[in-house]
Amino acid sequence: MRPLRSRAHLGAVRTALGLAALVAIVACVDSPTAPSSSTTTAVAARDAARTVTATDLGTYGEALAIAPNGRIVGHRYFTSSHHAAVWDDGVLTDLGTVGGGANSSANDVNARGRIAGWSTTSAGEFVAVVWESGVPTVLPSLGGYYSTAEAISASGDVVGDSQDADFRFSHAVLWRAGQIVDLGTLGGEESHARDINGRGQIVGFSTTASGAMHAALWQDGVVTDLGTLGGTNSYAFAINARGQVVGSSQIANGDSRPFLWENGVMIDLGSFGGRYGLAYDINARGQVVGRSDDDTGDSDAFLWENGVMTNLGTLGGRGSTAYGINESGRIVGAAATSPIGTPHAVLWTVK
């Protein structure tokens, strides 16, 4: 979730968190570049003893999730659009779009190979999609023009967002056995689901009655406000099998920090010295990935483990983001390959 991956919501959350340093998409091409060789660098952040291997997946785009078997999903960029993509052992498959649309994204993949994401249609609608063996199925909506599937559990339950029939607000939703369930809000008008674990616990964020956006946990029909680190807004992006939640929260001065929430306690995971940071995913081992600014304003992907934040670096440019991590600790995301910030999908391993 899972990272914040739906482009329709990216601007709103970026504004709320003040994420000026998100990776810029400044140049795209109509075909993927040839894969380059892996690069290995000694980490010079807060854990200089660890070694990071960054493998360029050879595509302008972003890798958003990685399955236990190593299958990677995300999207590849073209000049003015992007398509859902799958990488199997370095081989790229373009999943295309649904209904003649221009854009699509694969946001998550489970151990059975089912992929959750979204596509635009020729009418300009956003539809939530599940791909199985390359075949897309459009999921039902709450009646509006916009739906997106953000995460899929091992059993096939899907969570995401759907616009209401009044075409005003999106609500967090659960798709199960072909049916859509509105998960409700924390008292406000909108909510967004970003991840689900094997126990059926769902996380995301919702407006409160006061209009603030807060990280939220849905379980057994009850939605719980996870609070903040002292600031106004917070966002939950992922939950692991143990019920640990990660995301981003404003602190008292308005800066944002990646957080780990467990058993009612939210802790600040720290930063590389800058103002903004987000935690996008967590595996069952408690390894957390995301991105954090340094004191120059550059933002790099990180791995947080046992209180230590390791800088994963880039592919030679400025800026990177780690979006997903599987149970074996393999990490995927996007990293700049040149000073102007063009992102490539990337796979990191850390030793």
Side-chain angles (χ1 to χ4, degrees):
M1 207 130 253
R2 307 262 55 89
L4 180 77
R5 292 171 298 227
S6 294
R7 296 172 70 84
H9 291 317
L10 184 58
V13 175
R14 173 170 40 197
T15 299
L17 285 174
L19 299 177
L22 283 171
V23 174
I25 309 303
V26 297
C28 300
V29 294
D30 286 330
S31 60
T33 59
S36 62
S37 59
S38 301
T39 59
T40 302
T41 57
V43 176
R46 291 167 55 184
D47 189 358
R50 306 193 78 173
T51 300
V52 177
T53 300
T55 300
D56 187 338
L57 297 181
T59 311
Y60 288 113
E62 296 179 291
L64 301 179
I66 180 168
N69 66 358
R71 168 175 278 193
I72 299 168
V73 300
H75 47 246
R76 58 179 296 201
Y77 287 109
F78 299 94
T79 302
S80 58
S81 63
H82 57 84
H83 284 184
V86 180
W87 291 265
D88 283 307
D89 296 323
V91 178
L92 171 68
T93 300
D94 189 323
L95 295 179
T97 66
V98 174
N103 297 292
S104 61
S105 180
N107 292 337
D108 197 19
V109 56
N110 69 10
R112 299 180 183 180
R114 299 184 70 197
I115 297 166
W118 59 267
S119 175
T120 58
T121 69
S122 59
E125 295 177 307
F126 279 73
V127 292
V129 179
V130 169
W131 287 269
E132 188 164 10
S133 301
V135 178
T137 298
V138 175
L139 302 178
S141 75
L142 293 177
Y145 287 124
Y146 173 86
S147 296
T148 175
E150 292 289 338
I152 184 167
S153 72
S155 65
D157 287 343
V158 178
V159 296
D161 308 338
S162 185
Q163 189 183 47
D164 63 30
D166 293 329
F167 309 106
R168 298 180 63 217
F169 300 103
S170 288
H171 277 196
V173 295
L174 165 69
W175 288 276
R176 175 176 289 165
Q179 302 297 312
I180 186 171
V181 178
D182 188 334
L183 297 177
T185 75
L186 288 171
E189 294 178 311
E190 66 175 303
S191 58
H192 309 276
R194 285 296 173 267
D195 199 15
I196 180 171
N197 66 11
R199 296 156 57 185
Q201 295 173 303
I202 299 166
V203 295
F205 39 95
S206 170
T207 51
T208 66
S210 68
M213 188 74 78
H214 279 193
L217 168 67
W218 288 267
Q219 183 174 9
D220 299 327
V222 177
V223 57
T224 300
D225 189 334
L226 302 187
T228 75
L229 291 171
T232 302
N233 299 312
S234 62
Y235 306 83
F237 297 134
I239 184 169
N240 67 7
R242 296 159 54 186
Q244 295 174 305
V245 180
V246 296
S248 182
S249 174
Q250 288 181 321
I251 58 177
N253 69 358
D255 294 352
S256 68
R257 292 285 189 271
F259 72 74
L260 171 65
W261 180 96
E262 185 175 15
N263 296 325
V265 178
M266 181 182 290
I267 65 169
D268 185 337
L269 299 185
S271 75
F272 291 140
R275 297 187 59 191
Y276 307 113
L278 305 90
Y280 278 128
D281 203 10
I282 181 171
N283 63 14
R285 296 156 57 183
Q287 295 174 302
V288 180
V289 296
R291 64 177 296 149
S292 176
D293 285 0
D294 61 25
D295 55 7
T296 70
D298 288 343
S299 191
D300 283 335
F302 71 77
L303 166 67
W304 182 94
E305 185 176 13
N306 298 324
V308 177
M309 183 179 283
T310 296
N311 191 327
L312 300 178
T314 72
L315 292 171
R318 297 177 60 182
S320 60
T321 301
Y323 287 119
I325 184 169
N326 68 7
E327 302 311 324
S328 62
R330 302 177 75 192
I331 302 163
V332 295
T337 60
S338 68
I340 60 173
T342 306
H344 273 206
V346 62
L347 168 69
W348 286 284
T349 57
V350 181
K351 296 180 180 180

